[in-house]
Amino acid sequence: MIKTPVVVKTETGMDGRPIALLVQEASQYASKIYIQIGEKNVNAKSIMGMMSLSLANGEKITVVTEGEDEKKAAEGIRTFFANNAC
C-alpha cells in the first residue's frame, strides 16, 4: 500500500468533467485507488463517490493505492493533480 499526499490545484473546483477525467485515469490501473480526506475514504474509480467529495483548490488529500501496479497508479494520480488536469 502506498499513501501519497497531494494538494488539489484547480481554479474552478472539481465538477463533472474533471472528476470524470480523474475516474478515467484511475480506471486504467488494476490497483485499488482511494482518495482520503480526513476519515473519509472514497474509491477513485467511482464517479458518484468522487462527486460527493467536492474537492476545492488547495485542499490536501491522500491518494491510497494498493495492488499489483500501485506505484504506477500512485504516480499517475499524483501527476493528474500536478498537471492541473482538473
Side-chain angles (χ1 to χ4, degrees), residues 6-86:
V6 174
V7 176
V8 176
K9 295 178 184 176
T10 176
E11 293 180 14
T12 60
M14 287 195 68
D15 56 8
R17 187 176 188 285
I19 288 176
L21 292 173
L22 175 59
V23 170
Q24 186 176 29
E25 175 69 27
S27 295
Q28 295 179 32
Y29 305 103
S31 294
K32 295 178 184 176
I33 304 172
Y34 294 95
I35 303 298
Q36 194 175 58
I37 300 175
E39 297 298 314
K40 194 169 187 179
N41 242 0
V42 174
N43 182 348
K45 297 179 184 182
S46 165
I47 195 154
M48 294 306 287
M50 291 304 301
M51 295 285 275
S52 74
L53 289 179
S54 301
L55 297 174
N57 188 39
E59 192 158 9
K60 295 176 184 175
I61 64 172
T62 302
V63 177
V64 181
T65 57
E66 184 175 7
E68 60 190 61
D69 59 352
E70 62 189 22
K71 288 181 184 178
K72 188 175 177 184
E75 182 60 27
I77 300 300
R78 188 200 61 76
T79 300
F80 176 87
F81 282 106
N83 287 341
N84 203 12
C86 47

